Structure formats: structure tokens, C-alpha cells
Amino acid sequence: MRLGMVIDLKRCIGCYGCQIACKAENGTRPGTTWARVVKREWGEYPDVKKLSIPVLCMHCGEPPCVEVCPTGASQKQESDGIVFVETDVCVGCRACVMACPYGARYYQDDERDYFEQGNNAYEQCVYSAHQKGVVEKCDFCRHRLARGDEPACSANCMCKARIFGDLDDPTSEVSRLIREEGGFQLNPELGTDPSVWYLPPER
Amino acid sequence: MTGSAATQATQSEDTWIPSSCGMCYNQCGIRGHRVDGTLVKIEGNPENPIGRGRLCARGLAGIQLLYDPHRVNRPLRRTNPEKGIGVDPVWKEIGWDEALDEITDRLARVREEDPRGFFFSGTVISLAPLMHALGTFLPAFGSPSAFVSDGHHCGNAEHILARTLHASVTTNPDVAHCDHLLLFGCQAGLGTYYALTTMAQDVADARDRGMKVVVVDPFMGTAAEKADEWVPIKPGSDGALACAILNLLVNEYRIFDADYLRDHADGPYLLTDDGWYARDTETGKPLVWDVDAGALRPFDAPDLGAVALEGHYEVENATCRTVFQALREQVAKWTPEAAEEVTTVPAALIRRMAREFGEAASIGSTIVIDGVELPLRPASALYFKGAHGHDNAWPTSLAIELINEVVGASNVPGGLLGTNPVCLGHPDTGFPRWQPGPDADGLLEAGALLYNDPYGRSPGWPPPPESADLPNLRDLVGWPITTCFTPAALNDRENFSFDHAPQVLLNYGSNLLMSVARPEVCFEAFKDAFVVCVNLHSDETAEALADIVLPDACYLERLDPLPNFTRHHHPVGMGDWGHTIRQPLVEPLYERRHFSEVLLELARRLGITEPMNLLTNNLFGLVAPHALEGGAEYEWREIADRAYKSWFGEERGLAWFEEHGVVTWPKKVEEVFWKPFIHARAPLYNEWVKRSGEQVAKIALDRNMKGVDTSGFVALPDWRPCRAWRPRDGFDLQAIYYRVPWHTFSMTYENPWLDEISRGEPYSYFVCINTATARAKGIEDGDPLEVEGADGGTIRGRARLTEGVHPEVLAVANNGGHWAKGMPFARGKGIFFNQLLPMDLEHTDLVSLSMDCDARVRVRKVGEA
């Protein structure tokens, strides 16, 4: 099994719901956005195009972050291909942050708070799950998968632009979409073989 | 953490609670995860048809509003006697009793002297408590002086036409069957607008299916980004484009639904030369031309033959024409070429837009839904603030609406639907129930509007305007249900000949200094009044004006029975009805209190509980044995319990809703696509507007009022330039504001998660300017700019050079740029657009009380912003 996600750039309206769905689910610290949106614009008025491209960890088949990790903290899960960080083993050297071509990794330096008063009651509850001095990233919400739910970003997407499933299963929805709707990976030339696929915005 | 809920809760608590969102007016279904008294997660409630388990960024981020350390937690009293914009009020914390004693004392005095001196303003974001105040406290007190202070951002003209043409408060397209969606300054399902989280799912499905989306907008927002075609247009000229499309449809291409116009609209009604319905001298009923009989007959004559839709006919030696004929002649001057001159949209493109829309409507086609054959008109034209946020709002909105009407795409599959104007009730109880019907002229009359009334009593047509006692023009004009005009009228008190001034302002949940126009407008209007702000933050309005601030419970801390106003933002189309609860996910933290409970307490102290009870029965449709009795005092929970039981039976009281969150049942096809089932005609011709205009002119003349221009009270669509169009020497650009899906008005700028979006997003914290326009002025990306309004006001922000904006336009997102000490997180984030907007009679559409939301400006590069 190789878990992956298809992001349909035609359905996505760039609302940033995924960015906040991830924050709300994982309670990540200020400045950390495991899911985020990149906006691009091209053409010349009035023939102009804008595009919103949601990004997250690509859960690469050949993850450069795992390769450079000196401690073995960055790992690829054998059973489903999820790339994750064993934070207890991470020493915060940040080699993986440099190695990741997709900007998916965040070093937890705890340098800033949202509010000058420090953490509020909610933040006190949720930040305790995030160690300082380590690198964190999207793990496809492994805690949700364990109870049979899909990742928070795809479960919430109000355009249903994110579809989660098994890339190894040719009958899965993700496999069908990639096959029939022109699925592509970001920066295939890097040879990282992402498990996150995109469908073209116009088709 | 000092909040009561956390300290009181048991240590092992881990629970999910269903409720309703309150981060915008759409009130989607949510559920909250509470662990040991702390709310740790908000997500969509999959059982609720409002959102179907999916939320926007704002809804997900609500937790940071609940625990925002800058919330007001205890009543505050101003100790600095000086009031002013930017003046530090020097708050002192006081107890609730002290605060309520003083407020009661002030209110009691006003009530004795002249109740009209009690003013109320509120926000549509907190729709349920707002309606509680408007529907019970204000009338029980005896004051009509209320206004909705985010009227600037609100529907105004759209609400009027939603009522006359669709029997509801708002509209949304039936995208499940629509093939062509034409949006004017609106992002339905593509970023903003009613029922967003549900519509986003449905619009994405429809686009997958092949629905074409055309977006008319000066700025490429999220909707235009996704559109198959972006049609940039000069701000305020949408009406000219719509008139040209109408002209092409009804005159050049002759693509119109004659059966619909003849049978379901007033298309065949005859008009006299002076613009009134020709009426039967005996019955007073509108006349039509019976082709078979070759005679004039009342529209509802029992043996009526074929009826003429077009042409001129003789009535009592005068020549009459049908309404449809009048419409054809009215729009004839709007050739695509004439429209191009105004809109900058090429004539050839206008022709193609009209033809594609008309052809997509597939007039004559039918569809079978749930075994019923219905007309299928898979084309919808829809509009919002971009199109109608101008002082030509009425004729513009009418023109766009009539694009749907002429092709019959109105309240049938694929077309534009009123927001749930027909409900036949829950299968167990038959409640709630409302539906439109015909008035004496055969014209559509809504069954129920905003208020929850299970009997669906018709609110009727507006009474003819008779006076100008209300400083909001509302009884001059009658129909606008939301307006922020009141402060402008107060500042023009002599002209309006008001003999009373505001003594007390109770301002609930709104930051009117920022939301209405430039802050001086509201400050001037209320600076001499005793001002009470009931709000979440000590915002700009509180700091400049308030004598007392009461700490409000936010939507996650309060109980609102029936918070979803079904005709306002519940999803349209087939699917489920959903009636919900909003309940505290945590008990109010600190000393925050729910406004509805404060109102009950104030009523008790003022001795007006008895009329409050009567009005509460009316508001919630409480029926025996659940109606409130006499002057008895009821707890808020008790009232909620009675509301639920009145609607859904004994077994579904408050406790049931607290546990289940939402009651659902399937919609019926005759509820959703009601037009073929209910014979009530949509008025293309607006006799009532013409009548109102004459009455307003008469009142203005009688009172010697200046600046009351009634030329906009037109019965048929037209276009005229808005005031912001007037050429002004040296002011070469038009500034507009646009909306992003992650901010609501100005309140969300205080939310750190939503701020994080804007900081990572390229446009929303910048002044967007067309690249070529900028270069010609020597402006580069990132340059600090100063934008100066021709009508005053200056805003500053950094330039974002983009190809996605009309060359004559500057575009600014929402309404940021807070300066209050009490909102330190929000301070300086984004740009305060409203600084550019004056508010007065001149910049207001008197039919809908919409204000001009764009401004003539010039821009220059300055030092550091």
C-alpha cells in the first residue's frame, strides 16, 4: 500500500481551508503550516490566469529528507509510504529542511507566540504535543488514519478538491483520477516521486 | 487559564458537542471537541446540511477567537470624559450590577421622555441575537430607531429583489442542474456569499460536470480565478452590461421564455402611458389583452383566451403596451456598443455572453425530478456587492435579475432560486411552514422573511411611505431590511427635520466606526449619546464612543435557539432541511454574558417583560402550550426549549437538540422548485417603486428637504453612472474593495491563524494595481502608496502589481487596518478601505439605501508606508 493524495486544481478555489484545517487538527505552533497554499499569476491583462496550488509534504517515494537525516529520525513507513519524523530521535540539525525541495519541513524553534501574552488556554493544551528543537511536518494525519479517518485537510476541503487513497491500488479513486484526468507530480525532474499528485486546472 | 469552564469540568472529560458556527452570517453546522473543559478542536458537523461537515478557514479558526487574550472579559467604564477617534478611554473594570444599573437608569429616562431616542445597531454575523433584539426588545421598549450597521457589506438591493421575484431574503443558483453561471461582482460557491461551505462543494461538482462560469468583476478574486471567463469591468457599470444582455435577448436574438413571462410574470399586464398598470374600472384588477376575444380582460378572468405578451393596445382611447413590450423598448437603447463605452467590455464579447446565456437556458426543455416533470432552465445570473454596492444599486440589480426572468430561469431547476421560500414543515408536526402566494394583482407575495414564524404569515407589501420619522429613511422607502444610512441621516438632522436626537446607543457586536463608512460619520452621529457597546473586543467604536462596554459571549459560549435563518443562508436546491442549535461549547469564560440574556435582564429591570414575552412568542412562533404567558419571567434556556417544542414536538425540546444538534428531513420537489406549483407572478415592472418615488418626492417637498433625488425610483431596469464616476480633476482611478474567503468584514483581522493566511498570500494586505497603470506612474511592486479620495479620506498601503485588475481600478481586500488599543493583534494589518467612503444622501441609492462602495481616487508613491 502506498498512501497518497490527489489535489484537483480545477476544484480548488484557493480558500486556505486546508491550511487552517491542518492547524486546527494538529495544533501546530505559530509560523508552522504543514498544509499551505501557493498562489501564482501569469499572462497579461485581460488575458490573465491565477492559480492556487495547495502544497503539503509530498511523501516522496524517494525522499531526500530521509536520505540526509543523520539520526534516522526522518523515516519512510514501510507499510504505507508515509514519510514522518520520529521526533524523539531528531536532534534538530535541519539537514532535512535544506534537503526538502518542497518546503514542507518546519523547525520548532519556539521563537515567537501569536499573542504577546504568551500561549492561551487552547495553545497550552495543544502545543505540548510539539517538542521544541526538532523538525516537524505533515504525516498525513497518521492518528486519524489509525482510527479510520482520512487526513483533516482532505476531510474538510469544502471543494472536495483533495482525495486521499492508495496509489498502489489501481481501482482506487486516486489511481483512477491520476490515470483518467491527467495527474501529475510537482517537480518530477527532481526524481523524488511524490505521493501527492495534482490534476490540471483546466480540463 | 482562569476560565470557569476549564476549572469546573471534570478531569476525565472528552466530549464532542454539536453547534453552529458564527464566524460569518452563514452559521454552518459545527461540532466542538472539549477535553477537560478546554475546547481543543472545531470541525464541521457531517450531520448538518449547512456545510455537510466542511468548514471554511474562518470557521476552523474560531477557537482563536474564543481564547483571544484581548477579549473583553468584564464590564468596562470610560474614565476619560473626552470621546474621540483614537482617544484612550482609560477603561476601568466594573461589576455587572453597576453597569446594568446605569444602563437601566439611562434607558428608563429615555423611555419616559421619548423612546425614539433609544438607538440600536447590530451585526448580521450574530444574526440570532440581532433578531432577538430587533424583534422583541426594541418594539417592547417602543423604539423604532434601529439599524444594521454592516449594511454597507450587506445585500440591500439584492434583498428587495429576492423578496419581489423569489419570495425570500436572498438567492442562490440551483447549481445541481445549472450549465451556465454568470456572476456579477459575486463569488457564490467560489469564495464568499451565502451557504458558502455547501455551495463550494456543489459548484465544484457542477464545474466538474461542465457548468461554465463567467465572472464579471474589476478584480480577479477567487471566483474570477476559477472562472472559464473573466470579464473585467469598470466598477459600477454592471447595470449597463446587464441591460445590453437583456436587449440582445429580448430584441435582437429573441431568446425569451414567452410561456413563463405570460403565465408566471406580469409580462402581459398592460401599462398606461403614464406608467401605471391599466386597471379594470370595476374590479381595479390589472388588464391584459385577450387575443381570442380581441378585448381587454382582467388578468384572472375565468374564461380568458390566449393572452398577448407583446404589442400596443387601445384602452379607453389611450394606447397601452404590455409590460414585456415596455421592457423591450426600455432596454433597446443599450446596444452592445453603447454598453462597451460605459463598461469597457468589448461589444463582441457582450454579444457572445448574451447568446451563450440564452442558449444555455434551453427554453422549452424539461426535467423529471422525483417523478415530477418540471421546466429546466440551466442558466443563472447572480450578483452581489461588486455589482450593487453603488448608488445605482436598484436599477442595476433589477437588470441582472431580469436576465433570469426573461429566460424563465427563476425558481425552476437550473435557474436562480429564492432561498427556501417554501417549507411545508417537518413530517411529524407540519411546522415550520411558509409559502408565497398571489396578492390582489396576482403578484408574488412572500410567505415569510427573516423572522421565524411557523405559520408563515405573509408580511405583505410595504406600507406606502407616509412620514420620515425614522432617521433611516426606512419608512420613506419601506423595503430595505438592512441599511447603515441612519448615522448619515442623523448628521443631516435638520434636513430630515428630526425632532429627536439619539440619547442612548446600544451597539451590539458591530464595529460601526469601521464598518459603515469613514469613522467620523458614526462618531459625529453618536458622540453626544450615552453609548453601550456589547462586544467581544474593545474595538475602534468602543474606544471612541462607548461609555460602557459589556463583555459579550462569543458564538462558542452561548445558546441560540434556531440560529439558522432558513431564508437567508440555508442551502438551496434539493437535499435536506436542517434546523439546528447553537449551544455553548464552553460556558462563558470570565464574566462574559450572552446578549440575549442581558436583554431579558434589562427588560425585567425596565418592567417591559410582558410585551417582550408577547413579541418573543411572535419571533419564535411559540404556540400553546409553549407560548410565554403574561409578564412571567423565563430563563433563556426555558424559552429555547419552548421554541423547539413548538416547532418539532414534545419529544424534541432543548435537551434533544443539545444532544443531537440538528433535525433534518428531506426537501420536497414542490418546495424547492415551487414556481410551477404556486401561481404568483414575478413583477418585471415595479409599480411599487414608482409609487414610492412619488411619495418620497412629495415628503421631501413638504419638508423642504434638500438632496433627495428620486430619479432612481424606476420601474424597469436602466443604468446611470454612480456618483463615484463623476470626473474629478486629477483623480484618475476608482478604488474598490473585494472580499477574500478567510476574512469577515473587519473582525477576523484579530485572528492569528487568519492573519497567517493573509501574510502568506500575495494580495490581501496590499493595494492591488494594474501593472501597466503602476509603471506609467513610476510605481513598482512593494512601493508604499498613498491613495487619496476625491471625496476625502486617505489610505496607505504597499503596491502589489498585478495583471488581474482593471487598469482604472485599485483593489483593496475587505476592511482591515484596525487602530484600537483593544485589538493589538489586528492593529495595522490590512488596509482600512472605508476611510475613502463618505456617507450621505448623494452617495446613496434611495430605493435600496445602498451606498456607493467605491471611490474616485488618485495614488502616489510615498516614503515608508
Side-chain angles (χ1 to χ4, degrees):
Chain A
M1 182 165 67
R2 179 174 177 189
L3 292 175
M5 189 177 286
V6 169
I7 298 179
D8 186 339
L9 297 180
K10 180 174 180 179
R11 294 184 71 104
C12 171
I13 61 170
C15 74
Y16 289 83
C18 47
Q19 179 169 320
I20 308 301
C22 175
K23 274 209 106 67
E25 176 68 29
N26 295 297
T28 53
R29 290 177 185 274
T32 299
T33 47
W34 293 349
R36 58 195 172 93
V37 181
V38 175
K39 300 243 175 185
R40 290 285 179 268
E41 171 189 320
W42 66 94
E44 202 171 312
Y45 178 91
D47 298 315
V48 51
K49 289 283 176 199
K50 279 187 186 173
L51 183 62
S52 300
I53 310 154
V55 292
L56 66 167
C57 171
M58 297 289 147
H59 295 280
C60 301
E62 302 293 335
C65 54
V66 171
E67 210 168 294
V68 300
C69 180
T71 66
S74 278
Q75 301 170 36
K76 188 167 180 60
Q77 200 155 270
E78 288 281 321
S79 56
D80 53 18
I82 289 178
V83 176
F84 68 100
V85 182
E86 194 69 71
T87 45
D88 288 344
V89 185
C90 176
V91 294
C93 74
R94 285 169 270 187
C96 58
V97 177
M98 302 298 287
C100 173
Y102 303 101
R105 292 177 161 251
Y106 291 81
Y107 177 66
Q108 301 300 298
D109 55 10
D110 196 32
E111 284 297 303
R112 56 176 277 250
D113 295 320
Y114 283 128
F115 298 108
E116 73 273 20
Q117 292 89 339
N119 293 335
N120 59 29
Y122 161 75
E123 292 173 304
Q124 285 168 28
C125 277
V126 297
Y127 291 165
S128 56
H130 301 280
Q131 291 178 36
K132 292 177 200 169
V134 300
V135 169
E136 290 191 341
K137 60 176 280 296
C138 157
D139 65 355
F140 273 157
C141 289
R142 283 192 300 167
H143 61 290
R144 289 176 60 97
L145 300 179
R147 59 174 195 247
D149 291 334
E150 60 182 314
C153 58
S154 56
N156 180 74
C157 177
M158 66 175 178
C159 297
K160 298 184 194 164
R162 299 163 91 99
I163 301 96
F164 188 74
D166 181 5
L167 299 170
D168 280 348
D169 175 3
T171 67
S172 69
E173 181 68 359
V174 282
S175 297
R176 187 191 67 78
L177 287 169
I178 292 166
R179 201 168 53 236
E180 294 176 9
E181 301 289 340
F184 64 94
Q185 297 158 306
L186 291 189
N187 305 101
E189 72 282 2
L190 300 175
T192 53
D193 186 22
S195 296
V196 175
W197 290 70
Y198 292 83
L199 304 183
E202 286 173 33
R203 59 183 203 278
Chain B
M1 175 77 208
T2 54
S4 58
T7 47
Q8 284 164 17
T10 57
Q11 283 305 299
S12 56
E13 182 201 50
D14 186 331
T15 181
W16 286 87
I17 307 155
S19 190
S20 299
C21 189
M23 290 292 282
C24 85
Y25 51 64
N26 280 323
Q27 330 274 309
C28 299
I30 60 171
R31 55 185 185 188
H33 188 196
R34 192 174 67 199
V35 176
D36 295 338
T38 303
L39 188 65
V40 296
K41 173 96 195 278
I42 299 167
E43 59 185 41
N45 181 1
E47 290 169 19
N48 195 319
I50 308 175
R52 301 182 204 129
R54 292 163 196 264
L55 292 180
C56 74
R58 296 166 297 186
L60 294 161
I63 209 159
Q64 290 285 18
L65 171 66
L66 175 65
Y67 294 114
D68 180 350
H70 306 132
R71 287 273 300 273
V72 179
N73 295 325
R74 290 173 190 84
L76 303 173
R77 176 198 291 283
R78 172 183 296 271
T79 61
N80 179 358
E82 187 198 343
K83 292 187 177 183
I85 299 163
V87 171
D88 187 344
V90 194
W91 296 126
K92 178 189 163 205
E93 287 191 354
I94 57 173
W96 268 97
D97 273 340
E98 183 183 337
L100 289 177
D101 282 349
E102 175 152 7
I103 295 166
T104 307
D105 183 51
R106 297 275 186 165
L107 284 174
R109 267 189 281 159
V110 175
R111 190 155 183 263
E112 202 176 301
E113 287 162 17
D114 182 351
R116 296 176 305 167
F118 170 46
F119 278 67
F120 175 82
S121 66
T123 173
V124 292
I125 303 307
S126 298
L127 197 50
L130 171 69
M131 296 311 287
H132 185 221
L134 291 176
T136 69
F137 189 76
L138 268 286
F141 186 92
S143 173
S145 309
F147 65 105
V148 177
S149 42
D150 28 38
H152 166 135
H153 301 268
C154 204
N156 303 79
E158 177 245 2
H159 293 318
I160 296 179
L161 283 151
R163 177 174 179 172
T164 61
L165 297 172
H166 308 283
S168 191
V169 182
T170 69
T171 56
N172 243 327
D174 176 34
V175 290
H177 302 100
C178 184
D179 293 333
H180 189 104
L181 183 59
L182 174 55
L183 299 172
F184 292 83
C186 175
Q187 309 194 99
L190 293 162
T192 54
Y193 207 60
Y194 306 106
L196 172 65
T197 52
T198 322
M199 281 294 290
Q201 300 170 46
D202 295 348
V203 167
D205 285 347
R207 291 174 55 242
D208 250 357
R209 176 174 51 76
M211 179 179 76
K212 179 169 182 172
V213 179
V214 178
V215 173
V216 178
D217 203 309
F219 178 72
M220 183 178 253
T222 52
E225 172 181 323
K226 301 319 288 185
D228 297 276
E229 195 151 358
W230 173 45
V231 181
I233 189 169
K234 256 185 101 166
S237 71
D238 302 61
L241 174 61
C243 281
I245 291 173
L246 275 174
N247 180 29
L248 289 163
L249 289 172
V250 300
N251 286 317
E252 191 167 328
Y253 304 149
R254 289 190 64 83
I255 302 177
F256 54 84
D257 187 339
D259 291 342
Y260 173 86
L261 294 166
R262 193 184 291 112
D263 299 334
H264 293 284
D266 64 346
Y269 286 16
L270 291 170
L271 290 172
T272 60
D273 272 348
D274 51 3
W276 302 104
Y277 283 156
R279 291 178 182 272
D280 183 46
T281 44
E282 239 172 74
T283 61
K285 289 185 173 175
L287 293 168
V288 296
W289 180 255
D290 183 334
V291 179
D292 295 341
L296 296 165
R297 312 286 305 279
F299 73 96
D300 60 350
D303 54 347
L304 205 58
V307 170
L309 180 62
E310 299 178 62
H312 296 79
Y313 303 92
E314 291 289 322
V315 181
E316 289 168 357
N317 303 323
T319 302
C320 285
R321 53 184 178 162
T322 66
V323 162
F324 185 60
Q325 183 70 31
L327 173 65
R328 292 186 56 203
E329 292 169 14
Q330 170 80 8
V331 295
K333 67 183 174 200
W334 285 107
T335 62
E337 289 72 23
E340 173 175 349
E341 231 170 85
V342 170
T343 61
T344 69
V345 179
L349 174 54
I350 299 175
R351 285 177 193 280
R352 184 163 57 75
M353 288 171 72
R355 184 171 283 287
E356 285 182 3
F357 186 90
E359 286 173 356
S362 67
I363 293 163
S365 67
T366 60
I367 185 173
V368 175
I369 299 175
D370 285 359
V372 185
E373 187 175 12
L374 298 161
L376 175 66
R377 299 290 179 273
S380 288
L382 184 66
Y383 59 105
F384 204 61
K385 210 69 200 177
H388 70 57
H390 305 279
D391 61 38
N392 58 21
W394 164 252
T396 293
S397 305
L398 181 59
I400 298 169
E401 286 276 2
L402 293 197
I403 294 173
N404 298 303
E405 295 295 323
V406 297
V407 300
S410 180
N411 300 297
V412 297
L416 187 62
L417 305 182
T419 300
N420 305 298
V422 180
C423 178
L424 303 176
H426 187 278
D428 291 353
T429 60
F431 282 156
R433 195 166 64 215
W434 59 79
Q435 64 176 53
D439 73 355
D441 287 348
L443 301 178
L444 181 61
E445 201 174 64
L449 294 171
L450 262 182
Y451 287 80
N452 287 314
D453 180 344
Y455 294 110
R457 281 169 309 181
S458 165
W461 287 72
E466 283 171 1
S467 70
D469 281 348
L470 297 187
N472 57 14
L473 287 182
R474 231 187 316 197
D475 73 338
L476 282 186
V477 186
W479 276 31
I481 58 170
T482 55
T483 176
C484 49
F485 190 74
T486 304
L490 286 171
N491 293 341
D492 197 10
R493 201 173 302 156
E494 210 168 300
N495 193 25
F496 279 76
S497 22
F498 297 140
D499 55 0
H500 64 285
Q503 303 297 324
V504 174
L505 170 69
L506 179 60
N507 173 45
Y508 169 60
S510 99
N511 188 0
L512 56 106
L513 254 65
M514 282 188 75
S515 62
V516 170
R518 66 176 54 124
E520 290 79 7
V521 173
C522 286
F523 179 75
E524 283 301 314
F526 296 107
K527 69 180 191 306
D528 298 323
F530 179 77
V531 177
V532 180
C533 284
V534 183
N535 218 332
L536 307 174
H537 294 96
S538 166
D539 61 13
E540 287 71 14
T541 303
E543 292 186 0
L545 276 176
D547 293 277
I548 286 182
V549 181
L550 297 179
D552 194 21
C554 79
Y555 73 99
L556 300 167
E557 303 166 283
R558 70 175 195 244
L559 170 67
D560 288 336
L562 304 164
N564 56 315
F565 289 75
T566 323
R567 293 161 301 274
H568 184 264
H569 53 257
H570 192 289
V572 303
M574 296 302 284
D576 280 346
W577 293 106
H579 284 270
T580 63
I581 187 173
R582 172 178 292 117
Q583 60 179 322
L585 299 183
V586 296
E587 288 305 313
L589 303 175
Y590 307 95
E591 292 182 27
R592 304 168 188 172
R593 283 193 198 172
H594 181 7
F595 181 56
S596 284
E597 298 191 43
V598 174
L599 289 178
L600 293 183
E601 171 66 14
L602 285 174
R604 191 184 66 74
R605 288 162 172 254
L606 289 163
I608 56 172
T609 298
E610 186 163 355
M612 271 282 273
N613 282 350
L614 270 173
L615 290 153
T616 303
N617 288 341
N618 182 57
L619 176 72
F620 290 125
L622 304 185
V623 293
H626 304 296
L628 309 186
E629 287 173 13
E633 285 169 17
Y634 297 90
E635 295 290 318
W636 184 234
R637 285 179 56 82
E638 166 83 22
I639 293 171
D641 187 52
R642 287 166 179 255
Y644 284 121
K645 285 178 176 164
S646 289
W647 285 36
F648 301 113
E650 290 297 326
E651 69 281 13
R652 290 195 199 86
L654 176 60
W656 189 94
F657 274 87
E658 284 175 327
E659 183 186 347
H660 296 92
V662 58
V663 61
T664 63
W665 70 96
K667 288 181 176 177
K668 296 184 171 78
V669 69
E670 64 268 31
E671 293 175 319
V672 176
F673 306 117
W674 54 277
K675 195 78 191 198
F677 298 93
I678 295 175
H679 202 72
R681 295 168 187 266
L684 310 179
Y685 191 82
N686 292 269
E687 218 188 7
W688 70 274
V689 173
K690 182 176 159 63
R691 190 177 300 120
S692 288
E694 294 190 355
Q695 196 72 25
V696 170
K698 182 175 173 301
I699 292 169
L701 190 68
D702 287 350
R703 296 185 168 212
N704 196 24
M705 287 172 75
K706 292 178 187 63
V708 178
D709 174 5
T710 55
S711 63
F713 285 77
V714 291
L716 286 170
D718 203 353
W719 182 82
R720 60 166 192 186
C722 56
R723 300 304 194 279
W725 269 61
R726 283 182 311 185
R728 312 284 282 271
D729 266 355
F731 293 87
D732 55 340
L733 297 171
Q734 202 102 334
I736 61 163
Y737 83 98
Y738 67 96
R739 294 182 189 173
V740 294
W742 56 92
H743 279 303
T744 300
F745 305 161
S746 66
M747 66 176 252
T748 48
Y749 284 77
E750 173 70 15
N751 190 301
W753 289 359
L754 302 177
D755 167 60
E756 213 158 65
I757 295 176
S758 273
R759 281 192 286 111
E761 191 262 357
Y763 307 101
S764 57
Y765 278 177
F766 290 81
V767 176
C768 290
I769 180 170
N770 181 281
T771 307
T773 306
R775 294 265 156 77
K777 293 175 181 295
I779 293 169
E780 290 299 326
D781 194 66
D783 280 350
L785 300 180
E786 185 178 88
V787 181
E788 183 191 349
D791 289 315
T794 298
I795 61 174
R796 289 182 183 81
R798 286 185 185 275
R800 172 67 3 110
L801 271 53
T802 170
E803 298 293 334
V805 66
H806 193 285
E808 296 174 50
V809 168
L810 297 180
V812 172
N814 288 64
N815 199 18
H818 286 267
W819 62 88
K821 282 181 68 179
M823 297 179 77
F825 190 87
R827 203 154 54 206
K829 302 230 165 82
I831 295 162
F832 181 43
F833 178 81
N834 281 10
Q835 184 73 55
L836 294 171
L837 302 181
M839 191 169 62
D840 48 32
L841 270 173
E842 196 191 0
H843 293 83
T844 302
D845 167 43
L846 292 187
V847 180
S848 65
L849 298 181
S850 301
M851 62 184 276
D852 227 357
C853 297
D854 56 343
R856 204 78 193 146
V857 296
R858 63 182 165 209
V859 63
R860 66 187 185 95
K861 197 161 100 175
V862 290
E864 282 309 288

